[in-house]
C-alpha cells in the first residue's frame, strides 16, 4: 500500500464536511505542532528563540544558525496531565540534531524525570522530524543522541515517553534509536522510520542494494504503515491534528509500561523475527514481513525463538577489536556470542567486541559493522551478566568493558526491513540498564568508532578511554560519506576541522570535547606489547573505580575540564532549562 492509499483508508467513512474541517498536523511547524497537542493556553516555551541559545559551530562554516537551534521545548498539559514536548523543526538543517538542540531534548527529559520521581508524573513527548546527527557538528551531535537515549530511559520508568513521527522528513539516523526506546510510538501513513536513509544505503551499497528513487520500495521498507503493520509502531493515525492529539491522550492515560515489556527489552521477539530471515540465501520482499511477523510484537509463531548463537561463519580476519579483547581479558576463554560478537568473562568483568564475520547471513555486516544480529547479541550478553549478578546478589557488580573497533552500522536494505533502529535500541537499553544497576560500563576505543555502531556499542558507557593512535578514528560518519552528504570535498572537511573541533576525525580533537576520560599512548596498537596491555589494564581499573564512585547517568561528560572549555553551549542549555523549568509564565 502506498502513502496516499494508507491515508485514504484511515479517513474512510468520514463525511465530506469532516474531511474539509480536518486540520493537517504535517503542515504545521515545530511550534505549531506542540501548541496543537497541548491544552489551550497551557503552552510555555522554554529556552526559546529570545534566549538566543544557538549553535556556536554553524556560523564558522558559513551557515546561518537558528535562535532556538531548530528544537522547541514546550511545557504544558495534555488533557490536564503535565507534559513536556520536544518538537524538532524539520525546516532547519533537515531536523539534524546538534549540540544545542540535543542538549535541550535530553535536559527537558531529565527534568521531567526528576519531577516524576518527586511525585508529579510528567510525560515526555518527542516529535521526530529528523535526519539524525547534524553532520556539521558531527561528534557533538553523536554524543547528544546518546544523551537523549539515556534520558528517555531515565524518564521511562516514571512517566511515559511518547514518540510521534508525522512527516515530512520522518525519523532517521541515531534519533530513530531514541524512537525505538519510547514507551509508545505514534505514526501517520506519511511517516518514515529507519536507521539509514535510502540515499545513504544506495551510496554505501549501490543501487542494487537500495534504489533511492524507488518510492514504492521506500514506503514498503520505512513507511509508517509498514512499521505499524510489523509492530514497530503502536498507533497509525491519519494526518489529522485532532486525532493525533486523541492518540496522545490515550498514550498518556495508558501510563508506564510494565518492566520487561518495552520493545527495546523484548530480545525474544527480535531473535524470533531474525530467525525468519536469511538475506544471503533467500531474499524476501518487505511486504512479506506482515505475514511472517504480524502486527503483534510477540515471538513469531511460525519460527520458534532462537538465540543469535545459531549462526556459523567462515574464517574471520584479525582486527584490533579481536586482538585487544584477547589481550585485555588475559587467560579468560573467548567465546562467540555469535561469530561477529566476542565475549570473555573474568571474575571482575565481561569484555565484548564486535568483529568481522565473512559468513554473516546479513551480508552488509560482514566487515565488523553493527547490524541487527550484532545489536541483539550485544544486548543478550549484557543482560545475561546483569541477570547473573542479580541472581547471586553480588554487591559489587562486575564491569562491562566494550572494546570498540567498528566501521559503523550496517548499511543494508534487509537491516532496515528488519528494524535496525529497534535492534540498536535493544542494545542501548541493555547497556543503560547495566549502568544504572551499578555495573561500571567502560568503553575502550582501540580502532574506528563511527556513527550508529558507536551509539550502540560504547557511547552509553560511564567512562570512555581511547588509544592515542593514528588508527583511532571517532566520528558521526566516515569521511567520504560525510563529504558527499555535506556537499564538500574530503580536503574541505579536513580544513574545516582545523577550526570546528567536533568535525575533526583526530582522536585528540575528540578528547577536547570532554567525552574522553583518558587518552592512552601505546607503542603498538595493532600488536600490543606487554607494556601496552599493562598500561591499558591499569587505565581500565582506574575507570572502573571512577565509575563506581561517580554518577550512574552521563552527567560526568559535562564536568570535565575539557567539557567546561568546549561544551559551553551544552552547559548553558542545562542551566537555562533548570532555571526556567518551574518559572511561571
Amino acid at each position: 500500500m502506498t502513502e496516499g492509499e494508507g491515508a485514504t483508508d484511515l479517513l474512510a467513512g468520514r463525511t465530506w464536511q469532516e474531511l474539509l474541517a480536518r486540520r493537517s498536523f504535517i503542515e504545521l511547524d515545530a511550534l505549531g505542532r506542540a501548541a496543537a497537542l497541548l491544552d489551550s493556553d497551557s503552552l510555555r516555551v522554554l529556552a526559546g528563540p529570545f534566549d538566543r541559545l544557538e549553535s556556536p559551530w554553524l556560523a564558522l562554516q558559513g551557515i546561518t544558525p537558528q535562535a532556538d537551534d531548530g528544537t522547541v521545548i514546550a511545557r504544558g498539559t495534555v488533557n490536564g496531565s503535565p507534559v513536556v514536548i520536544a518538537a524538532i523543526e524539520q525546516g532547519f538543517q533537515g531536523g539534524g540534531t546538534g549540540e544545542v538542540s540535543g542538549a535541550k531534548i535530553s535536559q527537558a527529559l531529565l527534568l521531567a524525570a526528576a519531577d516524576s520521581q518527586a511525585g508529579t508524573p510528567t510525560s515526555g513527548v518527542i516529535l521526530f522530524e529528523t535526519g539524525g546527527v547534524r553532520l556539521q557538528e558531527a561528534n557533538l551531535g553523536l554524543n547528544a543522541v546518546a544523551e537523549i537515549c539515556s534520558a528517555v530511559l531515565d524518564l521511562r520508568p516514571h512517566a511515559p515517553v511518547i514518540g510521534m513521527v508525522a512527516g515530512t522528513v520522518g525519523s532517521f539516523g541515531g534519533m530513530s534509536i531514541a524512537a525505538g526506546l519510547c514507551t509508545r510510538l505514534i505514526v501517520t501513513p506519511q511517516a518514515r522510520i529507519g536507521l539509514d536513509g535510502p540515499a545513504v544505503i544506495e551510496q554505501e551499497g549501490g543501487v542494487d542494494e537500495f534504489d533511492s528513487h524507488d518510492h514504492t520500495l521506500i514506503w514498503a521498507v520505512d513507511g509508517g504503515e509498514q512499521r505499524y503493520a510489523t509492530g514497530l509502531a503502536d498507533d497509525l493515525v491519519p494526518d489529522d491534528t485532532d486525532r493525533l492529539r486523541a492518540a496522545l491522550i490515550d498514550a498518556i492515560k495508558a501510563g508506564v509500561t510494565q518492566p520487561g515489556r518495552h520493545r527495546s527489552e523484548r530480545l525474544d521477539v527480535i531473535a524470533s523475527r531474525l530467525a525468519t530471515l536469511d538475506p544471503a540465501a533467500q531474499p524476501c520482499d518487505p511486504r512479506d514481513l506482515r505475514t511472517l511477523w504480524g502486527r503483534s510484537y510477540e515471538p513469531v509463531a511460525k519460527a520458534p525463538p532462537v538465540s543469535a548463537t545459531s549462526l556459523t561463519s567462515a574464517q574471520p580476519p584479525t582486527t584490533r577489536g579481536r586482538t585487544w579483547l584477547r589481550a585485555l581479558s588475559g587467560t579468560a576463554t573467548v567465546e562467540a556470542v555469535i561469530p561477529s560478537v566476542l565475549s570473555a568473562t573474568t571474575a571482575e568483568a565481561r569484555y565484548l567486541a564486535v568483529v568481522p564475520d565473512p559468513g554473516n547471513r546479513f551480508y552488509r555486516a560482514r566487515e565488523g559493522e553493527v547490524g541487527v544480529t550484532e545489536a541483539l547479541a550485544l544486548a543478550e550478553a549484557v543482560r545475561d551478566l546483569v541477570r547473573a549478578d542479580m541472581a547471586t546478589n553480588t554487591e559489587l557488580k562486575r564491569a562491562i568493558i566494550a572494546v570498540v573497533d567498528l566501521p559503523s552500522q550496517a548499511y543494508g536494505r534487509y537491516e532496515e526491513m528488519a528494524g535496525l533502529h529497534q535492534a540498536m535500541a535493544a542494545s542501548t537499553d541493555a547497556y543503560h540498564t547495566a549502568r544504572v544497576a551499578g555495573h561500571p560500563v567502560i568503553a575502550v576505543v582501540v580502532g574506528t568508532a563511527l556513527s550508529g555502531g558507536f551509539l550502540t556499542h560504547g557511547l552509553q558507557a560511564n567512562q570512555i578511554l581511547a588509544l592515542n593512535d593514528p588508527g583511532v578514528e571517532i566520528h558521526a560518519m566516515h569521511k567520504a560519506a560525510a563529504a558527499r552528504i555535506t556537499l564538500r570535498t574530503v580536503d574541505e572537511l579536513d580544513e574545516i576541522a582545523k577550526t570546528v573541533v567536533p568535525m575533526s576525525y583526530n582522536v585528540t580533537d575528540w578528547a577536547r570535547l570532554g567525552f574522553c576520560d583518558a587518552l592512552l599512548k601505546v607503542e603498538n596498537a595493532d600488536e600490543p606489547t606487554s607494556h601496552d596491555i599493562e598500561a591499558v589494564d591499569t587505565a581500565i581499573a582506574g575507570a572502573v573505580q571512577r565509575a563506581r564512585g561517580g554518577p550512574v547517568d552521563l552527567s560526568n561528560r559535562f564536568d570535565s575540564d575539557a567539557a567546561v572549555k568546549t561544551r559551553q553551549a551544552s552547559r548553558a542549555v542545562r542551566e537555562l532549562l533548570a532555571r526556567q523549568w518551574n518559572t511561571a509564565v
Side-chain angles (χ1 to χ4, degrees):
M1 184 177 291
T2 67
E3 167 196 358
E5 289 171 340
T8 300
D9 282 357
L10 286 174
L11 293 170
R14 304 187 78 182
T15 67
W16 65 267
Q17 291 95 338
E18 290 173 324
L19 291 173
L20 287 176
R22 178 172 60 99
R23 295 185 298 151
S24 171
F25 190 76
I26 292 174
E27 292 175 2
L28 300 173
D29 62 10
L31 178 58
R33 292 181 181 192
L37 295 174
L38 291 170
D39 294 340
S40 177
D41 299 327
S42 75
L43 178 144
R44 181 161 61 90
V45 174
L46 309 180
F50 294 108
D51 292 306
R52 305 298 299 180
L53 279 177
E54 58 190 36
S55 167
W57 308 104
L58 296 180
L60 297 173
Q61 302 172 63
I63 300 169
T64 303
Q66 187 160 302
D68 60 4
D69 204 45
T71 294
V72 173
I73 303 297
R75 285 203 73 183
T77 58
V78 172
N79 199 37
S81 297
V83 166
V84 62
I85 296 178
I88 300 172
E89 175 51 61
Q90 64 270 23
F92 180 67
Q93 293 292 305
T97 301
E99 178 188 10
V100 169
S101 55
K104 289 172 72 170
I105 297 172
S106 60
Q107 180 66 357
L109 295 173
L110 291 174
L111 289 166
D115 274 8
S116 299
Q117 288 178 283
T120 305
T122 302
S123 301
V125 180
I126 306 176
L127 306 185
F128 293 95
E129 290 298 336
T130 173
V133 172
R134 185 184 297 166
L135 285 178
Q136 292 83 357
E137 300 182 34
N139 284 326
L140 282 172
L142 191 68
N143 181 75
V145 171
E147 291 173 350
I148 290 168
C149 290
S150 183
V152 169
L153 291 167
D154 287 337
L155 173 58
R156 198 177 70 179
H158 310 290
V161 184
I162 297 105
M164 187 177 290
V165 189
T168 55
V169 174
S171 179
F172 288 96
M175 285 298 285
S176 287
I177 300 175
L181 296 169
C182 287
T183 310
R184 198 164 185 88
L185 192 60
I186 302 168
V187 300
T188 70
Q190 294 85 2
R192 292 180 297 149
I193 306 171
L195 201 288
D196 300 312
V200 175
I201 299 175
E202 181 180 291
Q203 76 177 14
E204 296 298 314
V207 70
D208 290 338
E209 183 64 26
F210 205 120
D211 182 354
S212 65
H213 294 91
D214 186 341
H215 290 180
T216 300
L217 175 64
I218 292 170
W219 289 104
V221 172
D222 296 324
E225 190 195 357
Q226 174 72 356
R227 296 311 194 188
Y228 172 76
T230 54
L232 293 177
D234 300 286
D235 300 286
L236 181 66
V237 183
D239 176 27
D240 183 320
T241 297
D242 293 335
R243 291 178 68 171
L244 284 165
R245 175 177 151 85
L248 177 59
I249 290 171
D250 289 343
I252 293 171
K253 283 181 179 178
V256 299
T257 299
Q258 180 182 352
R261 300 298 300 175
H262 295 95
R263 261 189 298 269
S264 57
E265 297 173 308
R266 296 298 306 275
L267 306 188
D268 57 337
V269 177
I270 299 175
S272 74
R273 287 182 165 203
L274 295 184
T276 68
L277 302 178
D278 190 353
Q282 190 175 357
C284 73
D285 186 278
R287 286 157 287 226
D288 294 341
L289 298 182
R290 300 188 185 193
T291 302
L292 280 172
W293 295 353
R295 222 208 73 68
S296 173
Y297 204 74
E298 294 294 333
V300 178
K302 294 183 181 179
V306 296
S307 169
T309 56
S310 61
L311 302 179
T312 59
S313 175
Q315 182 63 36
T318 298
T319 62
R320 285 190 180 185
R322 185 182 297 273
T323 297
W324 278 97
L325 180 131
R326 291 185 182 277
L328 295 172
S329 57
T331 59
T333 301
V334 176
E335 299 177 328
V337 184
I338 58 175
S340 55
V341 175
L342 303 182
S343 173
T345 305
T346 68
E348 295 80 25
R350 172 163 290 176
Y351 297 78
L352 293 168
V354 178
V355 298
D357 169 20
N360 196 327
R361 74 177 189 268
F362 284 88
Y363 53 85
R364 293 295 298 162
R366 288 179 172 171
E367 297 182 6
E369 299 90 348
V370 176
V372 283
T373 55
E374 289 72 30
L376 170 61
L378 288 168
E380 288 180 330
V382 171
R383 287 195 179 275
D384 174 69
L385 188 74
V386 173
R387 283 192 298 268
D389 281 9
M390 186 179 298
T392 58
N393 200 26
T394 304
E395 184 175 345
L396 199 65
K397 308 297 184 184
R398 282 177 286 182
I400 299 172
I401 314 300
V403 180
V404 182
D405 177 29
L406 43 88
S408 188
Q409 70 266 22
Y411 297 99
R413 179 188 354 173
Y414 290 98
E415 282 74 15
E416 290 306 310
M417 285 170 52
L420 178 56
H421 70 285
Q422 191 61 61
M424 287 184 159
S427 178
T428 301
D429 194 337
Y431 272 118
H432 178 275
T433 296
R435 172 162 49 79
V436 171
H439 293 266
V441 179
I442 314 300
V444 184
V445 184
V446 300
T448 54
L450 299 181
S451 196
F454 195 27
L455 283 171
T456 309
H457 181 57
L459 273 177
Q460 286 300 318
N462 303 74
Q463 297 270 307
I464 305 178
L465 315 177
L467 302 187
N468 188 359
D469 179 82
V472 173
E473 186 176 275
I474 302 172
H475 207 265
M477 185 172 285
H478 67 79
K479 198 174 290 187
R484 284 193 293 269
I485 290 174
T486 58
L487 304 178
R488 291 164 170 155
T489 66
V490 169
D491 288 342
E492 287 173 335
L493 284 184
D494 287 337
E495 187 62 30
I496 290 170
K498 293 177 182 178
T499 54
V500 183
V501 179
M503 292 284 287
S504 176
Y505 285 77
N506 189 309
V507 68
T508 58
D509 288 334
W510 174 78
R512 291 169 57 194
L513 298 175
F515 311 136
C516 186
D517 296 283
L519 201 56
L520 312 175
K521 187 66 178 177
V522 295
E523 296 174 25
N524 192 330
D526 293 309
E527 298 178 8
T529 66
S530 58
H531 176 74
D532 292 337
I533 296 167
E534 182 181 359
V536 175
D537 265 334
T538 300
I540 291 173
V544 169
Q545 287 303 112
R546 292 194 298 273
R548 292 197 191 282
V552 295
D553 60 15
L554 301 181
S555 59
N556 63 306
R557 296 187 189 173
F558 289 91
D559 298 331
S560 68
D561 291 341
V564 170
K565 294 177 182 178
T566 312
R567 296 191 68 191
Q568 294 176 356
S570 299
R571 293 167 61 85
V573 168
R574 289 167 63 89
E575 292 166 4
L576 178 63
L577 281 175
R579 288 199 308 271
Q580 293 183 346
W581 187 253
N582 290 316
T583 303
V585 178

